[in-house]
Amino acid sequence: MIDIAGILIDNILYVLLITLGGALISLSVHFVPVGGAPAAMAQATGIGTGTVQLAAGAGLTGLVAAGAVMQVSNSLPLVLAAGAVGAMIMMSVTMIVGTWVYVYGVGCPPASAKVKYDPITKDRQDLYVSQGTEGHGLPTVSYVSGVLGGLFGGLGGSLVYHSLITAGMGPDVVMSNLIGLASVFAVGIFFVNAVIPSYNIGGTIEGFHDPKFKKWPKAVFSSLIATFMCALVAVLAIGGL
Amino acid sequence: MSAGGPGGEAHGGVAPGKMIVFGLLGGLICIYAAHFLAMVNPVFSFIGALGAVCAIVWGADAVRRVCSYGLGTGVPSIGMIALGMGVIASLFGLAVGGLAGPIVAVIAAAIIGLVIGILANKVLGMNIPIMEKTMVEIGVAGALTIVGLSTTMAGTFMFAEVLELVVAPGYIAVIFIAGGMGILHPFNACLGPDEEQDRTLAVAFEKGGIAMVIAGIVSMVISTAAAIPSIVIGLLIWYISFAKFYELTKRDAYKVLGTGLLPTEEELQ
């Protein structure tokens, strides 16, 4: 058996950082324009897949980027920056290719059905929304929102990963075991925090201009509690190595 | 009863209580049996994957019950949260529990699942009456799936071996996706107004068989003698349940007609 109280007291800072990372991931999902199955048929604005798949894609890319940087440096700002940039690139690439498909493949202009004017470009939206759809494609505001989602998701994911690795670092730790365990815990925490906000928004959202975005405090509160529990068990398991 | 629209309670089939007994007890007994018998002879490590199959079928049934209400976000999300909770709880259980590892994992998964279920209903306002109960079931099923498949891969559930043989080489990612597929895919594939429990669970058994074959292939690293029973029994489970699924599909279909091959260009003219 391991010394539970001792490990917790030593690592309480990391538990809090992991919890913060989880809340950031939860917030990030609200920025990502997810359209789900309707968007896949160009009948709703956003990327045509589910929240979890997108968040997982962006988060795992961030995790890989953060992990690669951690091979050469342990500096927290550098790891966070790498994770954030990795996730932002992943989101941007997904969205630009999606836009090509919608514009050149499906043949519909990117348009939002939730606002009359794009808050960023001030372009008129409602004229371009096809009848019977909830918008289609990725208008500028959704694209910018998605990149912001990548930023927060990547920050959160790499914060969780960095905290787990640092919490488990010890004189007699086998590095491959620690990296494996930290990655698995980070992925688990990421999935939990990707699903909670997706229940909050009911599966689809256009970005920060969507009325559903205002519900984010509920999901972030839920994620804080859920991640705190996950962080406790993760740090106990990792600290006991 | 679509994933996006409003739904109601799932009807018919085996009662939830029996599925819980099947998944929880079946899973735990198989995992412990695999652990102790594999010490005598590594051949018996395949029993762990049988426990995972029990847990997968139970998890798929719980997903079926909760998703019948309509989550608004697609069925895969709940499979992913199951394995997310499960992987955290199971590795924690194995790390701190020693011989009681699987039981600690079950308890940890139940607590995390209960909290997430309460948050989903009370804070996020999902208002699904069975959310708390099924989140506990799904989390525990996810944890047992991971422990069961890990036991087959490593030949034991002691943390040091699991860490070295399953987690560090990354096979845990395979377990994550194979187990997640087993729990989320059956209802996702069969949902609709004509969904039947036996047909959905036939898919769950089939996915469990595939997960077992994969676990067998990985356990080849440790010993070929341990790998062969897992692969053979996994293939057998896969074949029987797929044949059963095909039979039930024909039973539930209004009519099954052969359309023949696509017409050739000359025939069209």
Side-chain angles (χ1 to χ4, degrees):
Chain A
M1 287 297 275
I2 53 171
D3 171 20
I4 289 181
I7 293 174
L8 274 187
I9 292 166
D10 287 348
N11 292 311
I12 194 72
L13 174 68
Y14 299 118
V15 172
L16 296 177
L17 283 179
I18 295 169
T19 312
L20 177 67
L24 275 173
I25 297 165
S26 183
L27 175 67
S28 79
V29 173
H30 293 76
F31 281 93
V32 178
V34 222
M41 298 179 282
Q43 291 180 355
T45 308
I47 312 166
T49 183
T51 332
V52 183
Q53 285 80 355
L54 271 177
L60 297 184
T61 323
L63 217 62
V64 171
V69 168
M70 280 196 87
Q71 299 282 329
V72 286
S73 158
N74 229 344
S75 130
L76 180 62
L78 204 57
V79 173
L80 289 187
V85 170
M88 283 160 83
I89 292 176
M90 154 74 192
M91 282 307 304
S92 309
V93 170
T94 312
M95 289 189 295
I96 196 75
V97 175
T99 305
W100 291 340
V101 171
Y102 287 122
V103 172
Y104 299 111
V106 183
C108 57
S112 159
K114 295 276 168 71
V115 285
K116 196 169 178 189
Y117 294 96
D118 187 319
I120 292 176
T121 61
K122 308 288 177 211
D123 288 335
R124 186 84 184 257
Q125 299 291 309
D126 54 342
L127 295 177
Y128 299 95
V129 175
S130 311
Q131 268 188 357
T133 68
E134 305 268 321
H136 27 63
L138 286 145
T140 312
V141 64
S142 292
Y143 195 96
V144 173
S145 183
V147 177
L148 284 175
L151 170 71
F152 292 123
L155 274 181
S158 44
L159 186 59
V160 171
Y161 182 70
H162 185 273
S163 309
L164 284 170
I165 291 273
T166 325
M169 208 67 94
D172 49 351
V173 166
V174 183
M175 213 43 203
S176 66
N177 288 357
L178 175 61
I179 291 176
L181 201 56
S183 320
V184 170
F185 277 128
V187 169
I189 291 174
F190 209 97
F191 272 116
V192 168
N193 284 305
V195 175
I196 288 175
S198 89
Y199 288 162
N200 190 36
I201 57 177
T204 60
I205 190 165
E206 281 192 10
F208 56 72
H209 60 293
D210 192 307
K212 284 184 191 170
F213 183 74
K214 294 195 185 72
K215 290 165 81 180
W216 69 265
K218 284 179 168 182
V220 170
F221 173 72
S222 307
S223 285
L224 277 175
I225 297 177
T227 320
F228 181 70
M229 297 186 53
C230 295
L232 281 182
V233 284
V235 164
L236 277 179
I238 273 200
L241 278 182
Chain B
M1 285 204 283
S2 73
E9 201 181 332
H11 291 289
V14 183
K18 284 185 187 161
M19 294 306 298
I20 295 174
V21 173
F22 174 72
L24 187 60
L25 287 186
L28 278 177
I29 290 170
C30 288
I31 287 164
Y32 274 102
H35 177 72
F36 288 114
L37 289 175
M39 280 182 193
V40 182
N41 189 338
V43 170
F44 291 110
S45 67
F46 75 87
I47 305 173
L50 287 181
V53 174
C54 295
I56 284 175
V57 172
W58 170 35
D61 186 64
V63 165
R64 168 182 179 270
R65 273 179 274 135
V66 70
C67 290
S68 296
Y69 285 91
L71 297 173
T73 167
V75 181
S77 66
I78 207 153
M80 285 296 141
I81 203 171
L83 271 282
M85 296 188 284
V87 81
I88 293 169
S90 56
L91 290 179
F92 166 72
L94 297 187
V96 302
L99 208 51
I103 296 171
V104 177
V106 164
I107 296 169
I111 295 173
I112 297 176
L114 182 67
V115 169
I116 291 180
I118 293 173
L119 289 171
N121 256 356
K122 297 284 183 293
V123 181
L124 303 180
M126 292 185 79
N127 294 323
I128 294 176
I130 56 167
M131 192 73 183
E132 292 92 345
K133 182 168 167 284
T134 39
M135 268 295 172
V136 171
E137 290 182 45
I138 289 168
V140 174
L144 281 177
T145 305
I146 289 166
V147 177
L149 292 175
S150 305
T151 308
T152 296
M153 285 183 179
T156 166
F157 58 67
M158 295 322 265
F159 190 57
E161 281 85 359
V162 170
L163 189 60
E164 194 187 326
L165 296 168
V166 179
V167 175
Y171 295 131
I172 189 86
V174 179
I175 296 183
F176 198 98
I177 295 301
M181 276 296 157
I183 290 178
L184 71 88
H185 179 66
F187 186 72
N188 204 27
C190 297
L191 62 84
D194 59 344
E195 191 266 346
E196 295 286 343
Q197 190 198 35
D198 49 2
R199 187 157 49 97
T200 303
L201 295 189
V203 183
F205 273 107
E206 185 238 318
K207 287 285 161 296
I210 294 178
M212 192 169 176
V213 172
I214 292 173
I217 294 171
V218 170
S219 67
M220 195 87 80
V221 179
I222 302 156
S223 85
T224 319
I228 287 170
S230 306
I231 296 175
V232 171
I233 296 173
L235 281 175
L236 207 66
I237 294 178
W238 178 82
Y239 179 77
I240 294 171
S241 50
F242 192 80
K244 183 81 184 159
F245 170 67
Y246 188 55
E247 184 195 315
L248 294 174
T249 305
K250 284 196 285 190
R251 179 200 69 189
D252 293 339
Y254 171 68
K255 205 169 196 180
V256 179
L257 288 173
T259 57
L261 296 170
L262 285 173
T264 60
E265 224 167 290
E266 291 91 58
E267 281 169 338
L268 281 173
Q269 276 160 8

